[in-house]
């Protein structure tokens, strides 16, 4: 159910209900109702929740087990994007950087593919910790 997914995603980020409520522009009480399946968010709020958690609305609604928004893959293929900076953020520690020491010389497609893999793995790792 939607409420369970919202709670898992919120806890994976280490946030309180008040934190998420503020982030999406609703009261903590209203957000609590979403998590406890006593109220369903309207379409606009559902989209805001999906963006806030960086997941698809289909994932929130239980229509897919893949948390990554489809638009990320399609849009990243066409957008100008600084993959070096985003990969730097993922590969800060010594162990990771030694595995991918020359990624700055990779093609944009190789960088995009690695970043998609890392984002997907991170999302799955956070979800599995909560199960």
């Amino acid at each position: 159910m939607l409420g369970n997914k919202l709670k898992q995603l919120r806890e994976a980020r280490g946030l309180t209900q008040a934190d998420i409520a503020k982030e999406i522009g609703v009261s903590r009480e209203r957000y609590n109702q979403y998590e406890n399946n006593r109220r369903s968010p309207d379409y606009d709020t559902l989209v805001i929740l999906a963006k806030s958690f960086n997941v698809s609305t289909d994932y929130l609604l239980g229509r897919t087990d893949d948390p990554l928004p489809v638009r990320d893959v399609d849009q990243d293929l066409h957008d100008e994007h600084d993959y070096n900076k985003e990969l730097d953020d993922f590969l800060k520690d010594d162990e990771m950087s030694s595995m991918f020491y020359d990624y700055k010389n990779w093609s944009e497609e190789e960088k995009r593919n690695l970043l998609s893999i890392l984002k997907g793995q991170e999302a799955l790792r956070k979800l599995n910790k909560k199960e």
Side-chain angles (χ1 to χ4, degrees):
M1 296 187 100
L2 174 64
N4 298 335
K5 295 248 189 206
L6 292 174
K7 184 175 181 179
Q8 286 177 341
L9 291 165
R10 176 181 57 79
E11 289 177 345
R13 287 181 54 196
L15 299 174
T16 66
Q17 288 183 347
D19 295 330
I20 294 297
K22 183 177 179 182
E23 190 174 311
I24 67 168
V26 300
S27 68
R28 191 209 53 82
E29 292 79 14
R30 178 166 290 190
Y31 181 78
N32 176 277
Q33 291 175 335
Y34 298 155
E35 272 196 17
N36 289 297
N37 296 304
R38 284 182 271 156
R39 183 180 191 141
S40 295
D42 62 28
Y43 173 79
D44 291 335
T45 304
L46 184 66
V47 170
I48 292 168
L49 283 164
K51 285 181 181 181
S52 178
F53 289 119
N54 195 31
V55 297
S56 69
T57 54
D58 280 347
Y59 178 75
L60 287 179
L61 296 172
R63 296 180 60 191
T64 180
D65 291 331
D66 182 2
L68 296 179
V70 174
R71 73 164 271 294
D72 282 355
V73 174
D74 293 338
Q75 189 168 339
D76 283 351
L77 290 173
H78 303 291
D79 283 354
E80 289 292 321
H81 194 76
D82 186 357
Y83 294 104
N84 290 321
K85 181 183 178 334
E86 200 161 352
L87 284 169
D88 280 341
D89 292 343
F90 269 99
L91 305 175
K92 283 182 183 174
D93 68 58
D94 291 337
E95 184 178 322
M96 290 296 285
S97 63
S98 67
M99 290 172 54
F100 301 104
Y101 70 94
D102 70 337
Y103 75 88
K104 289 184 180 183
N105 296 321
W106 295 3
S107 71
E108 291 302 304
E109 182 180 7
E110 289 170 320
K111 293 173 188 176
R112 183 175 50 251
N113 289 339
L114 175 59
L115 187 56
S116 293
I117 291 167
L118 292 171
K119 282 182 176 182
Q121 187 61 37
E122 179 68 8
L124 289 173
R125 186 185 64 78
K126 285 179 181 178
L127 287 174
N128 287 335
K129 275 187 172 180
K130 296 301 171 185
E131 292 179 355

